[in-house]
Amino acid sequence: MFPFIKRWIVTSSWKNSEVASMFSSLSVVFELQGQVISKSSQSEIFKCDIEGQQFFVKRYFRTKGIASWFGYSRFSNEVKNQLWFNRIGIQSAQVAVTGEEKFFLKTLRGVLITEGVDDAQELAGIAKSTPEKFQDKQWVGSIISQIADITSTLHQARFCHNDLHWRNILVQQAEMSAEAKIFLIDCPSGKKLFGPLLKYRKLKDLANLDKLAAIYLTRTQRLRFFFEYRGIKRLSADDKKMILNVLKHKANRVKRKAQK
């Protein structure tokens, strides 16, 4: 008999709830119907409402690559990273349910269900639909501080997101409040690194953030982000070199994409 393994976990906040009843197994979730809002070669995402609360259901119908045969699939990384964010207090969507079907170490199918973030919009979407929002200095200052703090926390833990674009940052803002709160989403490529590779990936994260920041933020605001990210009050020679390397990294990525 082939060693098929099934695993299904409902996190503590949703045990003995309607969420656990509705998302009761891998097979049940794969039979659910919903309007797909995002799809790739490995997965699809749709929304589901339960008792007034929104959940995002991400179904992996396959995993690819040699690494997936050794337990390092895109699905496995995403679940591990999302749970780690929740555990260390990084603002991110809370994991409600996760499960998978495996053949030896390879995930054949997987499910990651997260609680929706109310009154939230992607930072990239805000920039596109309401760019005038970036004229609000108090709002922008809050956003800069939170993103700088999150990025610094990840990098100090030797963790790089690897896809830290504005589209993967949610901004939650209640209608009656001026306060905004940042949430990270979609991190299947993030990992802990060491040595030169860690240094390179840090630059990549910062360059990805600066891609739209260079358009919507002033140079002073971008510098403020760097000061808060580094936890400094003045630039050292190493800091200046780092900034130049971030700009160079960003320029090289733009050049490579233009050549494709």
Side-chain angles (χ1 to χ4, degrees):
M1 181 178 293
F2 292 112
F4 285 99
I5 302 169
K6 288 189 177 181
R7 179 181 64 88
W8 193 251
I9 298 173
V10 179
T11 56
S12 58
S13 298
W14 286 278
K15 286 182 178 178
N16 304 315
S17 69
E18 186 62 26
V19 172
S21 298
M22 184 165 182
F23 305 131
S24 58
S25 71
L26 192 75
S27 299
V28 167
V29 172
F30 265 88
E31 290 174 1
L32 293 176
Q33 300 295 315
Q35 182 179 359
V36 175
I37 58 177
S38 178
K39 189 167 185 175
S40 71
S41 61
Q42 296 186 58
S43 63
E44 62 184 11
I45 303 173
F46 66 91
K47 290 186 289 188
C48 185
D49 290 321
I50 302 178
E51 297 181 336
Q53 176 63 56
Q54 191 175 82
F55 292 85
F56 285 87
V57 180
K58 188 166 188 177
R59 297 188 292 211
Y60 276 83
F61 41 81
R62 63 184 297 205
T63 57
K64 301 190 298 182
I66 295 176
S68 67
W69 285 98
F70 297 94
Y72 299 105
S73 66
R74 187 176 177 87
F75 167 78
S76 300
N77 287 339
E78 183 167 11
V79 171
K80 180 182 68 175
N81 291 341
Q82 200 68 36
L83 288 170
W84 182 64
F85 289 165
N86 291 172
R87 188 167 64 251
I88 68 172
I90 293 289
Q91 288 287 6
S92 59
Q94 294 293 308
V95 175
V97 181
T98 181
E100 62 185 320
E101 181 180 58
K102 301 174 71 173
F103 177 69
F104 288 100
L105 295 176
K106 180 176 175 61
T107 299
L108 302 178
R109 298 191 300 170
V111 167
L112 173 62
I113 303 174
T114 55
E115 183 183 18
V117 180
D118 295 333
D119 304 310
Q121 188 178 356
E122 292 176 8
L123 184 56
I126 295 174
K128 184 176 180 179
S129 62
T130 54
E132 64 275 8
K133 190 70 177 173
F134 291 86
Q135 302 303 314
D136 184 339
K137 293 183 179 181
Q138 182 178 350
W139 183 85
V140 172
S142 174
I143 297 298
I144 288 172
S145 293
Q146 291 179 65
I147 296 176
D149 181 62
I150 289 172
T151 307
S152 178
T153 298
L154 294 180
H155 287 179
Q156 286 181 32
R158 303 192 309 277
F159 183 94
C160 294
H161 188 285
N162 284 325
D163 198 22
L164 197 54
H165 292 279
W166 282 23
R167 65 174 180 270
N168 290 326
I169 298 173
L170 284 184
V171 181
Q172 180 191 57
Q173 186 161 340
E175 192 172 323
M176 301 302 292
S177 173
E179 294 296 322
K181 185 180 290 187
I182 292 297
F183 290 80
L184 286 188
I185 60 172
D186 197 12
C187 186
S189 302
K191 60 183 66 176
K192 289 191 175 184
L193 300 164
F194 300 89
L197 191 56
L198 172 62
K199 183 178 179 180
Y200 176 82
R201 293 295 184 177
K202 282 181 178 181
L203 293 178
K204 180 183 177 182
D205 278 355
L206 296 174
N208 287 342
L209 286 173
D210 197 56
K211 184 178 179 181
L212 288 182
I215 300 173
Y216 294 97
L217 303 183
T218 66
R219 293 183 66 177
T220 299
Q221 289 169 332
R222 291 161 67 200
L223 191 58
R224 175 184 170 183
F225 165 84
F226 187 80
F227 271 70
E228 296 198 26
Y229 162 76
R230 292 281 291 154
I232 58 176
K233 293 186 177 180
R234 64 174 58 186
L235 295 175
S236 66
D238 286 342
D239 292 321
K240 292 176 183 178
K241 183 178 179 180
M242 188 176 186
I243 290 174
L244 290 175
N245 285 335
V246 169
L247 297 177
K248 182 179 178 180
H249 185 97
K250 185 176 66 170
N252 288 340
R253 287 179 60 84
V254 171
K255 184 177 179 180
R256 286 196 298 270
K257 286 188 176 183
Q259 292 173 343
K260 290 183 179 179

